[in-house]
Amino acid sequence: MIKGKNIVGYSESALGSTTFKTFNPKENVANDAIIFEATAEEIDRACNLASKAFKIYRNTPGIKRAAFLNAIADEILALGNNLLDCYVLESGLPKGRAEGERERTIGQLRMFAKLVETEDWREPSHKSEGGSTKKMLIPIGPIAVFGASNFPLAYSTAGGDTASALAAGNPVIVKSHPMHAQTGELIASAIVNAAHKTGMPEGVFSNLNSNGIEVGTQLVLNPNIKAVGFTGSLNGGRALYDLAATREEPIPVFAEMGSINPVVITQKALQTRTPEIANMYADSITMGVGQFCTNPGLIIVLESDLTNSFVELLGEKLAKIPSFCMLHPNIHREYTSNKNLLSSQETVILVNEAEPPTKTNAAQARLVMTKGSSFLKNITLHQEVFGPFSMVVQYKDEDQLIRIIEKIEGQLTGTIIAEKSDYANISPVFEALQERVGRVVFNGVPTGVEVCDAMTHGGPYPASSDSRFTAVGPNAIRRWVRPISYQNVPEILLPEILRG
Ligand code: NAP
């Protein structure tokens, strides 16, 4: 049963009187459970406990932290259908998606467990002339984690940020997402059960509820917090980044934000496989009701008759895909208003759109088109529209194509759809795109992010606040550590991996 309480260390807590409810977007009704917002006292207590826990947890052997992470995965699985039903109730997403996301979340936890079972991830170094200086990576302290609305599991309470921060030896305080606070509570209880079972110190994890910016603001300003992990909108990420910089001790904010994920398609590719590309992109634009940070929101192609046929076909395919419910009425409202804002700009024309949905909060997919010169002049056209929307930009020559790519803000991904015979001449486009993105995709779609060592999920600002790091894959752990050197330190005081 959902209690709606905050989890502060090992205690449930509901000291405040401000409450809220989550929402079922499919039924268009509020969910039953009453959720208590965290008070200033509860935030302070969570931060103090985390600071105390850090002194123990940072020295907890990797094998034990791995056992903790594996136990979290087991406890999440043990939540069974309860978790899946709650996820569906709060997100409007189908049960299959809930299952897939749960699998990914568990996979990430087990991946980080495996990583820290040995100490190699600390990059121990003995490389000094006289052999007296040694180096390795150590955790930085309590981390505040903000999850996103569109990934209630994989980028939220026990998502990649939490898993990687805990793996490195940092306590975590989650600011639960208000749209899926019940799902968050179930996951938080799984983490606390796992912490109990594996003997972790109290404060290694806390979960704070809120439906507004106050709790997150206080959390980021608390001196015991040493870094922030954020997945969400550009406005939210930037606000927290700026806030962290105002602290007496500024701290890093690793914010993964929005992206429009440009896709460049060559004429040769259109000559050989227009129907295939149109199908692939109609699916990618509407996948998850377009509610992915890797959604292809910008398709860049040369002005031509061939392009016009492709755009027409893409529009037809897109319009035929059934409309589905968005995550929340607020997200539906934002989608509609942003889509209309971009569509109403001068020179933007409607290519096609889905039938007006009959169900509440369902998104009407739309494809629009404009010219390269208009896109270069009007930065409103560069904005992310979070939902099943994409804009085709027709460029007039390669010089304009390069200028368009150079003008786009930093992106998570950039895609090139090309034939083998294009490869010899595509280098300038490839180079320009590489400068703007964290991941280049060839002949595929940007949606779908593999959790693997080679993955970079991040990119130049504003895709992320620090393009040197990834939020996905084992290297995500690097955000929560710092290097320390030991010079002439007696063996007995050195960590075991640096001895000898
Ligand atoms: P959001 O509105 O920014 O919310 C994210 C979290 O941050 C929430 O817990 C929110 O809490 C909090 N927050 C937002 N602004 C804040 C502020 N000024 N001060 C303190 N806390 C603040 O994002 P969302 O709508 O949930 O997620 C959708 C966005 O995420 C899209 O733009 C999508 O592209 C992006 N996204 C990016 C990635 C990635 O990996 N790059 C992955 C998924 C989604 P409150 O609502 O309580 O304020």
Side-chain angles (χ1 to χ4, degrees):
M1 201 193 75
I2 301 293
K3 297 179 183 163
K5 295 185 178 178
N6 300 283
I7 295 183
V8 180
Y10 279 146
S11 312
E12 291 170 352
S13 185
L15 299 179
S17 53
T18 310
T19 59
F20 65 97
K21 289 180 172 184
T22 62
F23 200 82
N24 180 337
K26 256 186 159 166
E27 304 298 328
N28 210 32
V29 290
N31 293 313
D32 290 337
I34 291 170
I35 314 287
F36 289 84
E37 278 208 10
T39 61
E41 193 183 329
E42 285 165 330
I43 300 165
D44 269 353
R45 189 167 145 69
C47 293
N48 287 336
L49 282 172
S51 183
K52 277 195 196 135
F54 182 51
K55 291 185 182 147
I56 302 166
Y57 191 57
R58 68 184 174 205
N59 293 321
T60 299
I63 199 88
K64 287 198 168 166
R65 297 200 309 280
F68 175 34
L69 294 173
N70 279 321
I72 298 174
D74 296 340
E75 292 289 329
I76 290 176
L77 274 177
L79 291 167
N81 270 331
N82 244 356
L83 176 67
L84 302 176
D85 293 345
C86 192
Y87 176 112
V88 171
L89 198 75
E90 292 189 308
S91 68
L93 294 167
K95 195 165 181 179
R97 160 76 192 270
E99 282 168 330
E101 213 184 307
R102 181 181 62 177
E103 199 178 308
R104 182 188 172 121
T105 308
I106 282 164
Q108 290 177 159
L109 285 158
R110 299 211 193 282
M111 175 190 73
F112 283 112
K114 197 161 170 24
L115 181 73
V116 299
E117 267 173 7
T118 67
E119 299 286 10
D120 294 345
W121 69 273
R122 291 187 189 270
E123 301 174 5
S125 169
H126 295 68
K127 287 182 197 153
S128 88
E129 283 272 306
S132 67
T133 306
K134 295 167 182 189
K135 189 181 78 172
M136 66 173 212
L137 300 175
I138 59 169
I140 51 178
I143 311 294
V145 169
F146 293 73
S149 56
N150 59 342
F151 279 94
L153 298 176
Y155 286 92
S156 285
T157 319
D161 287 356
T162 298
S164 54
L166 289 175
N170 306 288
V172 167
I173 302 178
V174 168
K175 206 299 273 172
S176 180
H177 199 288
M179 290 183 195
H180 45 73
Q182 299 192 30
T183 305
E185 178 179 320
L186 290 176
I187 297 285
S189 68
I191 299 176
V192 169
N193 284 345
H196 267 303
K197 284 185 180 166
T198 53
M200 294 299 131
E202 177 170 27
V204 71
F205 177 80
S206 289
N207 185 54
L208 304 175
N209 297 315
S210 85
N211 186 25
I213 66 168
E214 296 77 15
V215 171
T217 302
Q218 270 186 57
L219 190 57
V220 171
L221 291 178
N222 189 294
N224 286 316
I225 296 296
K226 299 301 174 193
V228 178
F230 171 92
T231 309
S233 65
L234 174 57
N235 283 347
R238 182 60 200 246
L240 294 176
Y241 185 91
D242 290 343
L243 192 67
T246 66
R247 292 173 34 133
E248 190 179 333
E249 177 200 4
I251 52 170
V253 174
F254 297 99
E256 295 294 319
M257 300 171 283
S259 187
I260 54 171
N261 305 296
V263 179
V264 178
I265 309 177
T266 69
Q267 293 294 292
K268 282 184 185 160
L270 290 184
Q271 267 155 21
T272 34
R273 48 196 165 107
T274 280
E276 183 198 322
I277 300 169
N279 274 330
M280 188 161 75
Y281 270 85
D283 286 347
S284 180
I285 293 164
T286 53
M287 183 187 272
V289 205
Q291 299 166 122
F292 287 129
C293 50
T294 49
N295 189 57
L298 182 67
I299 298 171
I300 314 170
V301 270
L302 182 71
E303 253 182 68
S304 74
D305 290 343
L306 188 58
T307 292
N308 287 336
S309 317
F310 161 70
V311 173
E312 198 177 319
L313 188 63
L314 176 61
E316 276 169 24
K317 302 266 178 203
L318 189 88
K320 280 193 191 130
I321 293 178
S323 299
F324 283 104
C325 178
M326 297 196 89
L327 293 157
H328 194 273
N330 292 353
I331 291 198
H332 181 259
R333 193 178 333 109
E334 281 276 299
Y335 168 65
T336 309
S337 107
N338 289 336
K339 171 177 85 164
N340 290 339
L341 174 72
L342 264 70
S343 309
S344 65
Q345 300 297 302
E346 215 184 319
T347 78
V348 173
I349 57 166
L350 174 70
V351 176
N352 211 334
E353 64 183 340
E355 288 294 312
T358 48
K359 294 189 182 132
T360 356
N361 299 317
Q364 188 179 16
R366 182 182 286 178
L367 183 71
V368 299
M369 183 161 68
T370 191
K371 288 201 181 299
S373 53
S374 306
F375 186 81
L376 283 169
K377 266 190 254 152
N378 184 358
I379 57 160
T380 302
L381 300 179
H382 302 202
Q383 278 179 25
E384 180 193 35
V385 176
F386 189 62
F389 172 89
S390 197
M391 176 185 292
V392 177
V393 171
Q394 294 205 15
Y395 64 89
K396 68 173 171 36
D397 53 29
E398 187 170 313
D399 178 57
Q400 192 179 56
L401 167 62
I402 301 288
R403 278 190 292 131
I404 289 170
I405 297 172
E406 286 175 352
K407 188 95 192 264
I408 304 169
E409 292 181 310
Q411 301 292 326
L412 293 169
T413 72
T415 301
I416 296 177
I417 307 283
E419 293 301 294
K420 275 205 177 111
S421 53
D422 284 315
Y423 293 176
N425 303 316
I426 212 151
S427 174
V429 176
F430 177 71
E431 286 284 323
L433 206 55
Q434 181 169 284
E435 278 305 297
R436 306 310 305 135
V437 308
R439 171 164 60 106
V440 181
V441 181
F442 248 79
N443 287 326
V445 290
T447 37
V449 183
E450 189 187 350
V451 182
C452 65
D453 188 64
M455 180 51 66
T456 302
H457 189 64
Y461 184 85
S464 75
S465 56
D466 193 335
S467 63
R468 295 168 299 168
F469 297 90
T470 175
V472 173
N475 293 311
I477 201 170
R478 290 166 185 262
R479 296 171 299 168
W480 321 119
V481 291
R482 64 183 175 94
I484 183 163
S485 295
Y486 299 103
Q487 189 172 336
N488 241 349
V489 173
E491 287 266 308
I492 192 167
L493 294 176
L494 277 179
E496 214 172 297
I497 42 161
L498 293 181
R499 290 183 195 160

